Amino acid sequence: LNSSPTRHNKPQCRPGRVLSMSATRVCFTGKCPRASPGGTRRLDRRNWQSKRGNFARASTSTTAHGIAEWLVANGGECSAVRAGVGSRGRGLFAARDVRTGESIVRIPLKACITDFASPNPYPGCPYSVTLAAAILTERDAGSSSRWAQYVASLPKEVVGYANCNEALVGDEDVIRAAVGGDDALVHELQKYASLVIGSHAAIVATASGSTGPAGWNSRDWIWAMSQVHSRTFRVDLEVPAAYGARFGNSGNREQTVRLLAPFADLLNHDSDPNEVCCEWGVERVVRNNVGSDFLNAVAFVVKASRDIQKGSEALVSYGERSDPHFFMYYGFLPKKNPFNRAPLFRTLQEAARWYARLCGDPQENVEACVRERAAAVAEIDLDGDVGGVLGFVDGTAKATAREAAALEVGENATVDDRLLRLFHVLSGEEEVAVAAARIRAAEVLSAMNKVNANRDKQSSETAALAASFRGRRRALLRDIV
């Protein structure tokens, strides 16, 4: 659906039929070669995937070469790459020409810190709490810890806006200003802050003595949580019954496992699919029933998804994610992000209510009108769950669910097809649907411009990142208007 950038009068409400559109997103300018994918890609269940939880670039002051030696001493292999510093900070670079399908890093699972093999600090805690506690436990163990060298190499700084003081304990209006007035992001940040603060309180309250968990202060805990949310890999793995009980299963079943993979977590991200050259997964070293030797018989492996020339950086994708996820949990924004989006509505129901108000419908709350809007939403939302209430699970799952439900604009002036189809159902005209989307984009842009975005001078780096985040959102909205 292409449209010239002309102004439209206010839409009029008229009944109509669904406009048939095959693309998930619709281009407003006609400049993009194809419609970009809407929502989030459904992750398949294969072992080899190019998906990752979160990642942050590590400090260049740590000894990456020492981690490589540690990995080899613990049964790993990484001779195809070396640690170095490039335009993205510290990363991994090809030490020689690497062919497609070749392993560049191989780490026995026993050398990884996993959520299923680490003790839960308290019953029912999410993976991030389990792994954060594991990091601090190994740190406290000092030189006696198997992972002492790895933990010592982790960045000393807290990673991501979600873990800064402003987001954790700041005033709601200040947080809202930082995220450009996006109430959904404010809510997500508040939920995450509740997890960080609440989990720390629960751990300290149940600890005994003055060392170990009892001695973990809030700064320690925030740092550990930020490392987990910025460095964790996610894999699908058949977990033996002995470990499966941790997931509520009595037999061997495939589970989603989170892990910290020393040395491999130096891999940097690129949002451009043409730049990504690596993918990761798990491989069984011993093909029979490994039983109690499970951690020795499975390896976390990074492979080249295309040829990599000597000296080139080995890059992965952390997922086709919009800017908010990188901003909140990774502490950076991709230089170019073709998957960046800005929300117009959080749900189809919200969009339908807004359209009724736009049309000046005095009976928008009358039961018949409510049923009519619900029927229009049902035509678009065939699964019946896009507009549901999103419960907090963890940073990655929360962001995925939020992005799937939201009706957004994207790069190249694209608009979520669900929104245009909804407006077409309610109005009966294609041009009216386009006009309504433009009006909403202008409305959101105006609201962003009115938000007081004055930043705390003591957090200039955080302020600069937030300003860049807001600026990129404004650019998406201006393309639609």
Side-chain angles (χ1 to χ4, degrees):
L1 174 63
N2 296 324
S3 175
S4 58
T6 55
R7 299 280 182 182
H8 296 265
N9 294 325
K10 186 170 76 170
Q12 299 298 314
C13 296
R14 290 189 293 273
R17 62 183 184 279
V18 177
L19 176 64
S20 176
M21 299 181 184
S22 58
T24 308
R25 286 178 182 272
V26 180
C27 179
F28 267 34
T29 65
K31 296 179 181 178
C32 56
R34 59 180 176 79
S36 61
T40 54
R41 180 182 59 179
R42 182 179 180 183
L43 300 174
D44 60 30
R45 302 293 291 176
R46 295 176 299 172
N47 271 342
W48 286 106
Q49 303 156 57
S50 185
K51 62 181 182 180
R52 177 168 181 182
N54 308 297
F55 182 82
R57 291 174 292 181
S59 169
T60 56
S61 64
T62 55
T63 309
H65 181 66
I67 299 301
E69 291 180 340
W70 174 91
L71 178 60
V72 173
N74 281 273
E77 168 61 34
C78 58
S79 60
V81 290
R82 58 172 178 80
V85 179
S87 60
R88 299 170 179 83
R90 195 175 67 169
L92 296 182
F93 298 80
R96 54 176 173 76
D97 290 342
V98 178
R99 303 297 293 265
T100 302
E102 186 176 349
S103 297
I104 63 170
V105 179
R106 180 179 294 272
I107 310 172
L109 213 57
K110 66 178 180 179
C112 299
I113 302 177
T114 65
D115 60 345
F116 69 86
S118 302
N120 287 333
Y122 56 86
C125 65
Y127 82 89
S128 56
V129 172
T130 299
L131 291 179
I135 289 176
L136 293 180
T137 298
E138 300 304 327
R139 182 205 65 176
D140 292 348
S143 60
S144 65
S145 167
R146 180 179 190 175
W147 289 279
Q149 196 166 356
Y150 170 63
V151 173
S153 75
L154 295 174
K156 301 302 183 286
E157 65 270 17
V158 168
V159 179
Y161 178 77
N163 291 291
C164 72
N165 286 337
E166 179 179 277
L168 290 170
V169 297
D171 182 79
E172 183 176 316
D173 290 337
V174 175
I175 299 173
R176 181 173 287 104
V179 299
D182 189 331
D183 287 335
L185 289 187
V186 172
H187 180 68
E188 183 175 335
L189 286 164
Q190 290 174 332
K191 285 285 190 180
Y192 178 75
S194 296
L195 172 66
V196 173
I197 296 171
S199 59
H200 177 251
I203 289 173
V204 173
T206 57
S208 59
S210 59
T211 60
W216 297 345
N217 60 38
S218 59
R219 184 177 182 83
D220 291 334
W221 188 247
I222 293 167
W223 170 80
M225 288 287 283
S226 79
Q227 298 305 310
V228 170
H229 278 278
S230 63
R231 308 185 79 78
T232 302
F233 288 92
R234 182 179 64 187
V235 296
D236 293 326
L237 179 64
E238 185 175 305
V239 179
Y243 296 101
R246 294 283 303 276
F247 299 92
N249 297 319
S250 57
N252 292 17
R253 289 184 58 183
E254 187 177 74
Q255 307 290 346
T256 296
V257 173
R258 271 81 171 197
L259 55 87
L260 295 167
F263 194 73
D265 63 2
L266 296 178
L267 287 162
N268 280 323
H269 162 84
D270 201 298
S271 290
D272 184 352
N274 296 318
E275 295 294 326
V276 174
C277 55
C278 297
E279 59 187 5
W280 70 82
V282 288
E283 285 185 351
R284 189 176 293 277
V285 179
V286 181
R287 298 194 177 278
N288 59 349
N289 186 5
V290 297
S292 61
D293 200 31
F294 173 68
L295 295 178
N296 290 314
V298 177
F300 175 83
V301 185
V302 180
K303 289 186 176 182
S305 56
R306 59 181 177 83
D307 291 350
I308 308 174
Q309 291 185 341
K310 180 179 179 179
S312 298
E313 185 168 8
L315 297 170
V316 295
S317 169
Y318 308 162
E320 297 175 357
R321 306 308 297 269
S322 187
D323 277 0
H325 195 62
F326 294 102
F327 168 61
M328 291 191 294
Y329 302 109
Y330 294 54
F332 74 94
L333 296 174
K335 185 175 181 180
K336 293 182 179 179
N337 188 359
F339 308 106
N340 192 23
R341 299 180 290 275
L344 297 183
F345 300 99
R346 284 177 291 183
T347 64
L348 285 164
Q349 289 86 340
E350 183 182 60
R353 290 191 297 269
W354 174 87
Y355 188 84
R357 292 192 296 272
L358 177 68
C359 295
D361 187 354
Q363 298 181 320
E364 63 169 294
N365 293 320
V366 174
E367 185 177 351
C369 296
V370 172
R371 285 199 302 269
E372 183 179 344
R373 290 199 302 273
V377 168
E379 287 191 55
I380 311 304
D381 181 14
L382 299 179
D383 294 331
D385 58 1
V386 171
V389 178
L390 304 178
F392 182 79
V393 180
D394 59 58
T396 303
K398 177 69 174 179
T400 301
R402 172 180 53 77
E403 291 172 11
L407 305 170
E408 302 167 316
V409 298
E411 296 288 341
N412 299 314
T414 55
V415 176
D416 195 307
D417 174 63
R418 293 172 300 167
L419 180 62
L420 292 179
R421 288 193 289 133
L422 175 66
F423 285 164
H424 189 266
V425 169
L426 294 171
S427 69
E429 292 189 12
E430 181 179 311
E431 289 190 2
V432 173
V434 171
R438 283 203 166 111
I439 291 172
R440 176 58 177 176
E443 186 177 282
V444 174
L445 179 61
S446 177
M448 280 193 69
N449 291 333
K450 291 178 181 178
V451 171
N452 181 3
N454 291 329
R455 314 296 297 139
D456 185 351
K457 294 182 180 179
Q458 295 181 344
S459 58
S460 58
E461 188 174 344
T462 300
L465 182 64
S468 178
F469 167 74
R470 294 190 301 272
R472 287 161 60 131
R473 275 210 162 174
R474 289 191 181 98
L476 294 178
L477 293 165
R478 282 195 294 267
D479 285 347
I480 299 298
V481 175

